[in-house]
Structures are given as structure tokens and as C-alpha cells.
Amino acid sequence: MHIPESVTALPAGVLGRGGAGDILGLGGAGQASQEILPKLQKTWRRPWTFSMSKSLQGDREPSSLLQGEGGGRGIRKGREGAKPSGHGGFGAQGPLELPAVPPRGGDSAGDTAGPGIGASMAEQDPAPGCPRGKQQQPAFTWEVRANDRSYHRQVRKKFAFCLSKRKYSGNAIRTAKYSLLTFLPLNLYEQFHRMANVYFVFVILLQTFPEISTLPWYTLLFPLSCLLIIRGLRDLIDDIGRHRSDRSINSRPCEILAGSRFCWRQWRDICVGDIVRLRKDSVVPADLLLLCSSEPSSLCYVETADIDGETNLKFRQALLVTHQELQSEESMAAFDGRVRCEEPNSRLHTFTGTLRWRGRTHALDGDRILLRGCRVRNTALCHGLVLYAGFDSKIMRNSGKIKRKKTKLDQLMDRLVIVIFLLLLATSLGLAVASGFWAKTFQEKHSYLAALYQHTSPAHQAFLNFWGFTILLSIIIPMSMYITFEFIYLVNSCFINWDLEMYYGAKDIPAEARSTSLSDQLGQIQYIFSDKTGTLTQNIMSFKKCCVNGTIYGSGTGHENKQPQGLGLSWEHPGEQKSGVCDVTLLEAAQRDNDPVLREFLRLLALCHTVMVEDRGDQLVYQAASPDEEALVLAARSLGYVFLGRTQDSITIRELGRTRTYKLLAMLDFNSDRKRMSVLVRDPQGTIRLYTKGADTVILERLRSRGPRESLTESALDRFAEETLRTLCVASREVSEAEFRTWGRRHRDAAALLGDRARELDGLYEEMEQNLQLLGATAIEDKLQDGVPETIQLLKLGNIKVWVLTGDKQETAMNIGYACRLLTDDMEILEEKEVSEILQAYWESNNNLSGHGDAPCSLSQQHPETPCHKRAIIISGDFLDRILHTGEVLKEKKGWPWQWLCCGRAEASQDQGALVEKAFVDLATSCQAVICCRVTPKQKALMVQLVKKHKKAVTLAIGDGANDVNMIKTADIGVGISGLEGLQAVQCSDYALAQFSFLQRLLLVHGRWNYLRICKFLRCFFYKTFAGLLAQVWFAFHSGFTAQPLYEGWFLALYNIFYTAYPVLSVGLFEQDVSAKKSLEFPELYVVGQQDELFNYRVFGVTLLHGVGTSLISFYITLWAFEDHVGTRVVGDYESFSVTVALSALLSVLVEQLDGRGSPRPS
């Protein structure tokens, strides 16, 4: 295919690679545009192994330019198993990646060779009929026409039978569960999912028949109505809050192009195809294609805290053609471009599409898209074309549905209600049959009473007595127990709110129990799924140490407390961002400027990055895509090397007071395979130099020579790693003019390629980054929240496994894992390659695909040399997609039998896919820790769902950002951290905390106590009910098997709500087996709740037998006492006997509870 000269002349910053473009670049004008879709169709048929070189996309957390920060350090000193793959990073095509050479003109066709389409192909849904197996990419079926509302309103799609609806959604959202019309039926439907409510309604219906009723029907209807109303009002109040939130969001103001000018409208008025104007600090209302901005080259800076949890800025860039042509409202009103792209989906980090305008096709990827929920920062004005609106937007596709959560005890109670009801029916049936036989015998013996029975028969009497006994014994499942339940849950939730130990005084944030019906499940948690940034860490990076020319500087070296000699050692100004550099020896050495290695080291820190600077008059404010990159630039500034600004082809810094401008020749971007980045610059003297920083494992092997200085630097890296600091090496070399000319020509040719562009560029980068001279190493600390390591240790001792699910890159997550003691030096780290090998061996050994049915071997047998509790798994979101959606990680090059699953045999494919899921979950749950990097919000929820599905385990998810909402909703318990990223996570959570460390008290103290209280409450309530009310059954044997009540009606009504209420209520509110201090001192006590030891079928059976025994003793001892052994041997009067049995049962129950079987005792 012919490549126009204008394309090859474009700068690498426009042509360059990264993100989706790592796989395929889309070509230019003319005939190139005719080949795009056929080429894509052909390309999509190939299985992908793609890199994640783009950090500035979607929900991915920004990759630092500390490529490999910590990379390689994790494999030293007992961490040999850790081989970070360094997922993430900056691509050359990022909006911040500047051109290798100045552009030769403004030919807009150059955009056609922009980032390509392909990385997202690996994450498409399988083709219909092939739920698992190789995925197939659907064609571009989503067409957006700019400024054409009529087209988008008339296009419809089928959704059920012959019904159709509008294909393009409006921008209004609705997250509330109920409406005015649906509240009553939907809420009642949900409430009657509780088996107890269905049972009570059944009994009320029976009581409406006078022939069999033993109690008035309204006596049960009134308390049931109260219970339903209380729960309904609680749900209604929660939903009203959601309605208010929806109304507030839909009513936000925005500027929409109407005709030839922009008008203020509301978010709900936005439609697909509209052009929207955004101003600084405004929130993006829909998924937009960035058309232009007020910044140079139409850069746009966005904060994605509500999407990926990061408060640092990301960068987006418009196409060159729209940047040049759409500079006025009139030109935007005349814009008639058409975008063809993928259907709405949940993949935040990828986008694939093309823009067709003026006969040319321009490729689009995630770097051109502003996602709904982002906030525009440091950009005065920008304009975007709405691609996805409302529920079609990616963030809304990632928001999970509101699910009604039920605890394990709730589910057990539903099953027990069925068991008790079946026992009740069996007992009633037995007594009814006995009543029929008794009636027949009585009529035969007393024939003179035949006139009384002429309108009935023994069978008819037995039938009526069956229903009579059913109503009489229905009080065995008392309504008062559920009402007391609600009260106990409410008070226990207040105890959590009132706990001063979980009050965060620094920000005046108390703990908050937002759900009142899950407190007992806090004592049964088995898996915790945690976000990293803002949950485990403070997301504050500080420059701690460095090693330059073999000398270590920084805190802990003995130099940080010296008083500076003289003035002018620091170039920081009041009010500016602080670097944290406190080593005066380093400051003095930098000021003397007599060490060329130190000079180059600091110069590299000021040049080799993608930080942007904002001049606010008296101070410079740096905006970085990651806090660690910002920390390095701040460290250089504090040492006299101040980054002042950049253009597309230059970087300006001030070196010890002298301003110097370096011409930027090329930026060699970071990706997960390279684990390094470089800049090629020409200094003011005309010398060309390459500055490189990255993981020590990749930098050290590219050095020109190894000597004592390199050995000292390696020792320093080991020392930094032991302190869990994030490390990287920095190096440089001089490049000759002849070498650069040759390399630059090849670089431009490679950047213009449509196929294999990424591989060619990688090869060129590899050639340039050789024969380096080591300058030193840096160490940065990512500060953990207070008490995080201690909390994780306590949770591990309580048999709670902690999994970290983060959008950050692997090295960062691994370093945090070591810092918070989730990972230890003696652990075997299983990465993607090892996990694939283990699953492959497991698959082959079990012969699952062949269907031999052999006994499966355990996954723990695959690595018998390492105990499972000494293993940890570290995987990426892409690996998770492949293993759970396609099974690609199990595919071998030679005849892998998975291929026959790809087409047809859909049912078998689903079965095999479920087996892959289960095998992976079995492996992951057998390990002590799991860290998933680069995961989307939907993948976070998927991991939680997999553990719930295959392990039937109780899960807890904790996070602080909008990207954690889906995970929080999916888990059995959701905990929101009241952090810096808004309140989305808190608003969707069941419990809100200010710090991760408060989790230990929430679970090990309140959770364990609440589980203990509820279990003892249930045991006491069932015991007293059986002990006091089963006497009705024994009385039937002495009353002709009639359904005559033994007890007076008021006693039955007050037995549970008055006579025996205090003991069980005090148990449910105040029971403590040990104090809070002992609960934290011995976290092993928590295991009791995980194993359901305090209330289960066995405990219920024992309680039932205990109650039956007590009722038998109470009834028959009273019966024996009332017998007249001297006279006529007749029982005393009925009322006296009834009162005596009732009193005997009541005293037995009270004494039993106060004797230590459930009564409150001081701890």
C-alpha cells in the first residue's frame, strides 16, 4: 500500500505508538482509507498477544515513568520469585509524547497514521454460540453523525420479539431502584423472598376460615404489616437518596452547540452526535471524542479520580485535522464528520474507531476520548463530540446493579423456616390422623351420641383438625423474632457508629454503618478485596534516597540533620510543592557543581519525564500523570535543576540559576516489555545525549562496562529494596551526529508502517539504548496509611485472605505488597507464566477435555516444594480476561485441543469455561495473597463474583473511588473509605470508614461480637419457643387430639414479646465472650464465625431436642402433680392446669438462660 509522503514526514508524536496502536496503525489518505476495514477484518481473526504500553487510557492508573520502579528489586534478597513485568507505561503516541522531529507541514492526512486499532481486540466478547474460546471482533456498527440529532432519534433496534427501542440512549441516568408506580409491587416482591413472610401470609389466610381458626386473623396480620412497613420505609428512604442524586447529576449545566452557537442546557438534554463545550474544572457529561482545545496541539488534561481512583492528571489529545480546522463556532456547526466505532462496552482502557470527514479516514483510539466522569483540569476550553451517552457510556457500563444483600444466617433462616414448616405439617398430619381414629373409636363406643355426628365424619374432623393444628402450632415460628431481629441489628449498627476507636479525628470522620442488616456477617468474612491507591496508601510519593556515583544520599544516611552552611541551597519557594529532599550534603554537592556525574544525574531527572508545568505567577505547579514522576521532578528542583516548561520540540530547565533549552529529538516511550523510557535531546552546545531511566534489571544489562561504581549502586538498590522503597536506575550516553541521522531516518520509516510498527520501533529503541553509562539510582516512598501492615497481619492471623485489585502497574503493586506485609520474602511469587504452567499441568493431569473422568489432582500438587500458604499470585487484568474469557493461557502451540471448542458445541464450551474458572479460583484461593494489576472496575467485580460462585465464601470489598463501586456492590459486605476521591464508594457501601486500619476493629471486634450475639439470640429464641409452646402437642394426646389450645390467648400473645423478651434481647445486644482488647490480641478467635460453628443445622437440632425435652418435663410433671391418687384419679380443672404448665415452662426457660446458656455475662 502506498504511503503518502506527508505521512512519513509526520513527527513520531503524531505517528507514534502506544495503547491500542501497539497492534495496528491505521493509514492515511487516498487509497489507504479504502483498505482500513478489510485490513482490520483480516487482522482481527488472529489471536492477540498485545502489550499494555499505554497508561493514559480509561481506568488504568497512570504508569509512572519509573518504569520498573521497584522492578528487579523485588527479586533480590529472598524475592527471587518476583519478576515484575512492568505492565503499563507511557506510549510515544500519548498527548505528551513530543515529536522526534518538527513536522514538515500541516497536512492533516498525517492523522491517518495515528494510533491504531487492535489492542482492544483481545478483550471482545465471544461470538454468539461460542461463549468461550477464541474471541471474534464484531464489525463497527456504532455510527455517530456530528450535528445530526434527527438521524440518532430515528434509528431503532430490536430488543425483544418484535419490539424495538431507540438505539442511541439519552444522557439522563437513573440509578434508583423504585419509581412511584413500582415501589409497592417491587418492594413487596423483594420482601416476600423471605420465606418467613410467605409462611406468615399462609397462616393468616388459614385464619380467615372460621371452621379451623383458633386465633383471630388480625392478630397476625397487624405485626406482619408493621414488619413490612418498617422494612419498606427503610428501602424507600435509601431510594429517595438515589433519586436526589440522579436528579442532581441530570440537572448539571453544560454548553451544547445549537445551530451556530453554544447554549446552556442540562446534562439530560445531551444527545449522541452533539458537540459539547467544556471549561476548566467541569465534569465530562458523556463519552466524547476530543475535537480541539485551547491548549497547544489541542492537549487536554483530565483528572480521572471518579474512574480509576487517581487524582493525578491524564493527558488526551485531539486529532491534528480537527485541531486545525475546528477553531470557531461556525466551523463546528458545519462539522459533519462520521464516527464508526465499537458498540457501547465496559472496557474503560480501550477504544477503537475511525472518523470519516472530507473523504479521509482518521484512526481513533483511547487517547482521543474523554470519558464521562472525568474532570477537565488546567485546560481553559475544549470541545468534544458525544459518542456514548447515559447508560451507554463506559463508566455507567461498569457500574453494577443494586443488589439486595442477604447474610448467611438470613439464608440459613430461610431454609430453617422451610424445615420447621415441614415438621409442623408432619406433626399436624400425625395429630389429625390420630384425631380421626379417636373420633371413630369415640363414636363407636358412644353410639347414643350419634345425633351429634350426623353432619360430619371422622375423616372430615381429621381434615379440619389438621388445619387447626397447623394454625395452633404456627407460633413456633414467631413474628416477634423478626421484629426483635430488626431492633438488634439497628442497635448493633449504632454501636459501630458510636465507637470512638474508629473515629478519625484528623478529618472529623466517624465510622458509619449504612446498612443495618449485615452486622452479623462482619464476623464471617473469609476474603477481603481491597483497592490500593487511597485505600492502602495515601497516594503521596516522596523522594527519600538516591545513589550517585556510588554514594548514598538521603534520610538515614546521617546527613539529613545537618544545618546548611549559608543560604541558597534550596531552589524551592514558599507555597510551592515540596520535594522531601532533606540531605544537606547532597544540596551542597549540587551547589558546588564539581561532580559531572551528579550534574548529569540531576539533569536527567529534570529532562526525562512527561510532566507538564503551570506557571501561577510566583510559583510553578507541576502536573504529572503519576505522583512518583512528580516526586522526581520536585527533587531535581529542590537541588537546583528546575523544570520550567516544554513545547512540542523543546524542554526548558534552569540549572543552578542558568536557563537552558534542550531540543527534543525523540522520546522513547515506556511499555511493559521495555520497562524503561528515554529522551534523546540536543543540548545548547549541540551535543546529542540520550537519557534513560528504568528498572535496574534492564538498565544494568545495557551498560557499557561494569566496575566498582556499578557494584556499589547494586548494593544500594538492595538496601533500598529492603526498605520497600520504589527504585529505578538512571543512565545516559552521548550519541554522534552520524548515528543519529541514520537512526532518525529509520525511526521515521518505522513510525509510518501500518503493520508491525510496534515491533520495528521496539527494535530501534533497543539499538539506541545500548552502551549506557550508569549515573545512579533513586528511591521513592509511597506512603502507606497508618496501621496498614499491622491490620493486614491481624487479618491474616484471623484466617482472612487479602487480595489487592488495582489499576496500577505490577511493580508498584508488588512494592506496596511487600511494604504492607501482604507479601513476604519467603513467599514464592507466581506470575502469569507460572500460573499458566500450573493450570496447563493441572488440565493435562486431570484430562478434563478428553472426558476420561479420572480423579482430579490438587492444584497444590503442581508445586509440591512450596506450601500453599507461602505462595502469592500476581497477574494482570489482560491475563484475567484471557484466562476467564478465552482460555488462551492454556493454549499450546502444538495441537491444543481447546480449538475445537471455539465454534459450535456451545454447551460443552460453557462447561469447559466453567472448569477453567474453577481451576484458576482453586489455585488463587490456595495462595496466601493475590494481587491483580491493571484491572478494570468490571474485572474487580468479576474476581469477587468468582470467589463467591466457586468457593461459597463470604467476601468483603473495600475501596475509596468510583472505580470500586461495582466491586463494593458485588461483595457480601461493601466498605467505602472516606478519602480524597469523592463519596461515590461511600454512598454505595454498607459501611463507611476513614482509614483501612479501622477494618481490624470492625471485623475482629464488632463483627465477631455481632455474629456471636445473633447466633446466641437465635439459639435462645428457638429454645424458649420450643420449650414453652410444644406443650400444645403433648396436650393434644390428652384432649382427644382436638386443636383445643392449652394456653390462654393472652399468654400466647405475650410469651415472646413480654415474658421472655428481656433475656434474649440482652443477649442480642450486649453479649461478649471476651473484651475488645482480647479480641484484637487473639485474632484466631475469628475463625469460629468463618466455620459457622455457633449456629448451623446441628446446633439447631440440638436446640430443638433441648426444647422438646424441657417441654416434656414441664408438661408431664405438672400432669403428674395434678393427678388425684386417692380419689377418683381425675385431673384438676383445665384453667389451673394450663396456668401451671405455662408457669413451669416459663421458669424453666428463664432459669436455663440465666444459668449461662445464652444470658449476658460480664467479660
Side-chain angles (χ1 to χ4, degrees):
M1 184 175 68
H2 171 68
I3 305 296
E5 182 179 355
S6 59
V7 175
T8 61
L10 284 171
V14 177
L15 273 172
R17 50 195 288 256
D22 279 349
I23 302 301
L24 178 64
L26 284 184
Q31 65 189 49
S33 63
Q34 304 300 322
E35 301 183 21
I36 291 175
L37 290 180
K39 192 171 187 67
L40 287 175
Q41 299 285 353
K42 180 179 179 181
T43 306
W44 288 340
R45 296 190 185 102
R46 299 201 307 264
W48 289 107
T49 304
F50 59 96
S51 86
M52 298 164 53
S53 64
K54 231 31 205 161
S55 69
L56 309 179
Q57 299 180 10
D59 81 308
R60 303 298 177 90
E61 297 189 15
S63 18
S64 143
L65 291 183
L66 306 177
Q67 49 289 33
E69 47 192 43
R73 290 305 94 209
I75 63 174
R76 298 175 183 270
K77 295 290 185 181
R79 301 178 192 171
E80 286 76 12
K83 301 174 183 177
S85 60
H87 289 303
F90 289 84
Q93 169 49 36
L96 214 43
E97 284 136 7
L98 307 177
V101 292
R104 301 180 186 172
D107 191 346
S108 62
D111 286 298
T112 60
I117 304 167
S120 64
M121 300 307 102
E123 299 186 357
Q124 298 299 325
D125 296 330
C130 303
R132 307 280 169 180
K134 187 186 299 183
Q135 297 163 335
Q136 310 232 345
Q137 167 65 28
F140 289 164
T141 56
W142 190 264
E143 181 176 355
V144 177
R145 300 183 181 181
N147 296 314
D148 192 351
R149 282 196 170 190
S150 59
Y151 168 77
H152 300 109
R153 286 174 176 170
Q154 69 185 10
V155 177
R156 307 185 70 83
K157 66 177 181 180
K158 292 183 179 180
F159 72 97
F161 302 106
C162 297
L163 301 178
S164 64
K165 63 178 181 180
R166 285 174 53 180
K167 179 178 181 179
Y168 300 94
S169 300
N171 201 46
I173 62 168
R174 179 176 174 272
T175 61
K177 186 187 299 185
Y178 310 113
S179 67
L180 193 62
L181 296 178
T182 62
F183 170 72
L184 190 61
L186 187 56
N187 188 259
L188 287 176
Y189 171 77
E190 291 175 343
Q191 293 213 48
F192 281 103
H193 271 64
R194 296 175 182 262
M195 292 306 302
N197 292 340
V198 177
Y199 168 77
F200 293 137
V201 169
F202 173 72
V203 174
I204 290 172
L205 291 176
L206 290 181
Q207 288 181 337
T208 59
F209 296 96
E211 294 84 359
I212 59 176
S213 177
T214 55
L215 294 172
W217 60 270
Y218 51 82
T219 58
L220 195 58
L221 179 63
F222 178 73
L224 178 61
S225 301
C226 291
L227 184 63
L228 295 177
I229 289 173
I230 290 172
R231 289 174 172 167
L233 287 175
R234 184 186 63 193
D235 295 337
L236 179 61
I237 291 172
D238 291 341
D239 209 56
I240 288 175
R242 298 188 194 101
H243 275 286
R244 288 174 178 170
S245 175
D246 292 344
R247 193 178 304 114
S248 173
I249 292 173
N250 292 330
S251 301
R252 288 176 178 174
C254 63
E255 291 182 87
I256 305 175
L257 183 64
S260 59
R261 63 188 182 91
F262 284 92
C263 303
W264 284 99
R265 296 286 188 270
Q266 294 182 339
W267 277 26
R268 62 164 59 92
D269 301 322
I270 293 175
C271 296
V272 173
D274 287 350
I275 294 179
V276 178
R277 172 188 287 169
L278 301 175
R279 300 180 183 272
K280 182 180 178 181
D281 295 330
S282 61
V283 180
V284 179
D287 290 352
L288 309 178
L289 169 64
L290 181 62
L291 298 177
C292 61
S293 78
S294 57
E295 294 296 308
S297 302
S298 280
L299 290 176
C300 182
Y301 312 122
V302 294
E303 181 185 276
T304 58
D306 288 343
I307 295 179
D308 59 16
E310 286 291 342
T311 56
N312 307 291
L313 296 189
K314 312 289 189 305
F315 310 94
R316 300 291 182 262
Q317 186 175 23
L319 291 169
L320 181 62
V321 60
T322 57
H323 162 65
Q324 294 174 340
E325 300 293 334
L326 303 180
Q327 293 296 326
S328 65
E329 293 185 3
E330 292 75 15
S331 61
M332 291 183 190
F335 179 60
D336 59 352
R338 296 188 180 185
V339 174
R340 292 185 66 87
C341 57
E342 58 196 13
E343 289 284 325
N345 56 71
S346 61
R347 295 183 295 276
L348 289 170
H349 56 282
T350 59
F351 174 81
T352 304
T354 58
L355 169 65
R356 180 78 176 175
W357 188 37
R358 295 179 177 175
R360 293 180 176 177
T361 301
H362 311 274
L364 304 175
D365 72 346
D367 286 337
R368 316 295 189 191
I369 306 301
L370 303 179
L371 297 181
R372 178 185 176 118
C374 296
R375 188 177 292 272
V376 178
R377 297 292 193 192
N378 298 343
T379 305
L381 216 61
C382 66
H383 299 84
L385 171 67
V386 178
L387 300 182
Y388 306 119
F391 284 105
D392 288 336
S393 61
K394 291 181 179 289
I395 189 62
M396 295 306 297
R397 289 271 174 156
N398 271 279
S399 61
K401 295 182 180 179
I402 299 173
K403 303 180 180 72
R404 177 174 292 275
K405 297 181 179 181
K406 296 181 68 174
T407 67
K408 289 181 72 175
L409 286 177
D410 272 341
Q411 297 168 359
L412 178 61
M413 283 298 299
D414 283 345
R415 295 191 292 268
L416 285 180
V417 166
I418 297 175
V419 171
I420 294 173
F421 182 60
L422 293 177
L423 289 175
L424 186 152
L425 290 180
T427 303
S428 300
L429 181 62
L431 294 175
V433 171
S435 71
F437 281 107
W438 186 91
K440 181 180 180 182
T441 304
F442 182 83
Q443 291 179 27
E444 291 174 352
K445 184 181 293 186
H446 304 281
S447 56
Y448 54 88
L449 297 176
L452 298 176
Y453 301 101
Q454 62 181 350
H455 298 297
T456 185
S457 65
H460 183 252
Q461 290 188 29
F463 176 77
L464 294 179
N465 282 332
F466 169 76
W467 296 112
F469 278 118
T470 301
I471 296 174
L472 186 63
L473 298 178
S474 64
I475 53 177
I476 290 178
I477 306 177
M479 177 80 63
S480 59
M481 182 175 71
Y482 289 92
I483 298 176
T484 310
F485 247 154
E486 295 295 324
F487 181 73
I488 290 174
Y489 278 132
L490 176 62
V491 174
N492 282 330
S493 298
C494 292
F495 289 157
I496 293 175
N497 298 341
W498 298 337
D499 191 344
L500 293 179
E501 297 294 328
M502 294 194 294
Y503 171 74
Y504 189 52
K507 295 184 179 179
D508 189 28
I509 302 176
E512 181 185 3
R514 297 174 54 83
S515 172
T516 60
S517 59
L518 301 173
S519 58
D520 59 285
Q521 190 137 283
L522 289 172
Q524 298 181 283
I525 302 299
Q526 295 167 273
Y527 292 89
I528 292 177
F529 298 86
S530 174
D531 180 36
K532 181 190 74 68
T533 306
T535 302
L536 297 178
T537 69
Q538 301 178 34
N539 200 23
I540 299 175
M541 309 291 181
S542 60
F543 185 91
K544 281 297 181 183
K545 295 183 179 182
C546 65
C547 177
V548 183
N549 208 11
T551 304
I552 297 177
Y553 301 96
S555 57
T557 59
H559 308 301
E560 64 273 17
N561 294 324
K562 292 182 179 180
Q563 295 297 323
Q565 303 296 320
L567 300 175
L569 289 179
S570 177
W571 280 259
E572 291 178 342
H573 299 285
E576 289 189 333
Q577 299 150 291
K578 301 299 182 182
S579 67
V581 176
C582 56
D583 192 324
V584 177
T585 302
L586 180 59
L587 288 169
E588 293 174 345
Q591 187 186 41
R592 287 193 298 268
D593 195 26
N594 56 8
D595 185 349
V597 176
L598 178 59
R599 185 188 310 122
E600 285 294 291
F601 176 87
L602 297 176
R603 187 175 289 158
L604 183 148
L605 297 186
L607 291 172
C608 189
H609 56 77
T610 58
V611 173
M612 299 299 292
V613 62
E614 181 182 3
D615 190 352
R616 297 182 180 175
D618 59 339
Q619 60 178 337
L620 298 174
V621 178
Y622 295 136
Q623 301 291 347
S626 63
D628 39 16
E629 195 173 37
E630 179 184 332
L632 290 178
V633 177
L634 288 174
R637 183 178 72 179
S638 68
L639 296 169
Y641 288 72
V642 184
F643 169 60
L644 298 177
R646 72 194 316 146
T647 65
Q648 288 191 337
D649 58 357
S650 68
I651 300 177
T652 303
I653 64 175
R654 185 168 59 240
E655 300 178 359
L656 301 176
R658 301 185 302 272
T659 301
R660 294 164 61 92
T661 298
Y662 292 80
K663 185 175 183 180
L664 180 63
L665 303 177
M667 182 171 287
L668 286 57
D669 64 304
F670 172 88
N671 65 36
S672 58
D673 296 321
R674 287 165 34 77
K675 293 192 283 188
R676 62 192 182 277
M677 78 156 289
S678 304
V679 291
L680 197 61
V681 297
R682 187 189 300 274
D683 65 19
Q685 289 74 37
T687 304
I688 300 175
R689 295 198 64 86
L690 176 77
Y691 293 104
T692 303
K693 63 181 181 181
D696 58 337
T697 52
V698 296
I699 298 296
L700 294 178
E701 66 185 18
R702 288 168 173 78
L703 298 181
R704 181 184 309 153
S705 60
R706 303 289 287 269
R709 185 171 64 186
E710 286 73 20
S711 299
L712 289 173
T713 303
E714 288 192 74
S715 300
L717 287 168
D718 286 331
R719 176 176 168 180
F720 297 158
E722 290 173 357
E723 300 173 18
T724 67
L725 299 176
R726 303 163 62 153
T727 62
L728 76 160
C729 289
V730 297
S732 69
R733 81 177 180 95
E734 186 174 328
V735 180
S736 67
E737 286 287 347
E739 180 184 1
F740 170 70
R741 282 196 298 271
T742 303
W743 184 88
R745 184 172 58 254
R746 295 171 59 201
H747 178 262
R748 286 192 295 272
D749 293 341
L753 292 175
L754 294 179
D756 295 328
R757 180 162 53 95
R759 183 174 59 82
E760 292 295 330
L761 287 174
D762 271 342
L764 288 172
Y765 294 168
E766 182 72 23
E767 290 180 18
M768 178 59 68
E769 295 166 329
Q770 297 293 335
N771 301 317
L772 301 174
Q773 176 187 356
L774 183 65
L775 300 176
T778 63
I780 290 180
E781 179 186 33
D782 185 1
K783 294 182 179 179
L784 292 173
Q785 289 188 10
D786 294 337
V788 167
E790 295 78 10
T791 299
I792 290 181
Q793 282 299 100
L794 279 176
L795 295 175
K796 289 167 72 174
L797 290 174
N799 197 36
I800 301 174
K801 294 184 178 180
V802 180
W803 293 16
V804 176
L805 311 179
T806 177
D808 212 338
K809 65 178 185 177
Q810 181 168 329
E811 293 86 353
T812 304
M814 184 180 294
N815 277 281
I816 293 301
Y818 282 111
C820 68
R821 302 181 195 170
L822 184 63
L823 304 178
T824 57
D825 290 342
D826 59 348
M827 277 186 178
E828 178 191 8
I829 306 298
L830 302 180
E831 297 191 52
E832 296 176 2
K833 181 180 179 181
E834 290 84 357
V835 173
S836 300
E837 292 172 352
I838 292 175
L839 292 179
Q840 177 67 32
Y842 169 80
W843 196 268
E844 292 176 349
S845 63
N846 288 306
N847 232 350
N848 284 326
L849 287 178
S850 300
H852 290 174
D854 298 335
C857 74
S858 171
L859 282 165
S860 61
Q861 297 173 9
Q862 305 302 328
H863 276 224
E865 68 278 1
T866 305
C868 289
H869 66 276
K870 291 296 183 181
R871 288 187 193 168
I873 288 180
I874 301 178
I875 57 174
S876 68
D878 291 312
F879 180 84
L880 191 63
D881 265 347
R882 295 198 300 272
I883 192 173
L884 299 180
H885 292 182
T886 70
E888 280 189 62
V889 293
L890 298 178
K891 187 193 300 182
E892 286 186 338
K893 294 181 179 178
K894 296 181 180 180
W896 170 243
W898 189 273
Q899 296 172 354
W900 63 271
L901 293 171
C902 294
C903 296
R905 305 192 62 169
E907 194 172 320
S909 179
Q910 288 179 342
D911 294 340
Q912 301 298 346
L915 289 174
V916 174
E917 285 183 1
K918 188 175 187 309
F920 170 72
V921 173
D922 286 343
L923 175 61
T925 54
S926 69
C927 298
Q928 182 64 38
V930 175
I931 297 178
C932 297
C933 315
R934 295 296 187 191
V935 289
T936 66
K938 200 165 189 177
Q939 287 172 329
K940 291 183 178 183
L942 175 64
M943 289 296 291
V944 177
Q945 187 62 41
L946 286 176
V947 173
K948 290 175 61 177
K949 173 183 175 182
H950 293 289
K951 289 299 177 183
K952 310 299 181 186
V954 182
T955 59
L956 180 147
I958 180 170
D960 69 324
N963 59 318
D964 304 313
V965 166
N966 204 348
M967 172 177 70
I968 287 173
K969 290 179 179 179
T970 304
D972 296 299
I973 299 287
V975 178
I977 297 291
S978 304
L980 302 175
E981 300 176 13
L983 296 176
Q984 289 87 349
V986 170
Q987 289 171 350
C988 296
S989 65
D990 304 306
Y991 297 89
L993 303 175
Q995 293 279 289
F996 181 86
S997 59
F998 294 158
L999 201 59
Q1000 58 177 296
R1001 188 169 179 87
L1002 181 68
L1003 299 185
L1004 302 181
V1005 178
H1006 289 284
R1008 205 180 65 80
W1009 279 352
N1010 290 340
Y1011 173 71
L1012 172 71
R1013 291 166 182 168
I1014 295 298
C1015 290
K1016 285 199 171 185
F1017 167 79
L1018 290 174
R1019 283 155 47 191
C1020 291
F1021 213 107
F1022 278 124
Y1023 165 72
K1024 74 184 183 69
T1025 302
F1026 295 145
L1029 303 181
L1030 281 182
Q1032 302 269 15
V1033 177
W1034 319 132
F1035 181 67
F1037 286 90
H1038 301 273
S1039 62
F1041 296 101
T1042 60
Q1044 172 69 28
L1046 169 63
Y1047 300 127
E1048 196 268 336
W1050 280 108
F1051 177 80
L1052 290 175
L1054 297 177
Y1055 178 76
N1056 279 316
I1057 65 175
F1058 181 75
Y1059 293 127
T1060 60
Y1062 171 72
V1064 293
L1065 187 60
S1066 59
V1067 166
L1069 295 179
F1070 306 114
E1071 174 68 5
Q1072 295 179 16
D1073 54 348
V1074 296
S1075 66
K1077 181 179 178 180
K1078 292 296 181 183
S1079 295
L1080 295 174
E1081 188 176 343
F1082 300 101
E1084 295 83 359
L1085 295 172
Y1086 190 82
V1087 178
V1088 173
Q1090 295 174 331
Q1091 298 175 352
D1092 301 322
E1093 291 184 5
L1094 298 186
F1095 193 78
N1096 48 46
Y1097 289 113
R1098 183 188 62 81
V1099 172
F1100 174 76
V1102 172
T1103 303
L1104 174 61
L1105 294 177
H1106 189 195
V1108 169
T1110 302
S1111 66
L1112 282 170
I1113 294 173
S1114 300
F1115 181 83
Y1116 280 102
I1117 287 182
T1118 304
L1119 181 62
W1120 174 80
F1122 268 73
E1123 287 185 353
D1124 186 354
H1125 293 279
V1126 178
T1128 57
R1129 299 179 60 81
V1130 295
V1131 179
D1133 68 278
Y1134 164 70
E1135 186 173 348
S1136 298
F1137 176 73
S1138 171
V1139 171
T1140 306
V1141 173
L1143 182 60
S1144 173
L1146 181 60
L1147 291 177
S1148 299
V1149 167
L1150 293 177
V1151 171
E1152 188 78 19
Q1153 292 179 353
L1154 295 174
D1155 192 37
R1157 296 181 180 272
S1159 60
R1161 303 184 306 278
S1163 57

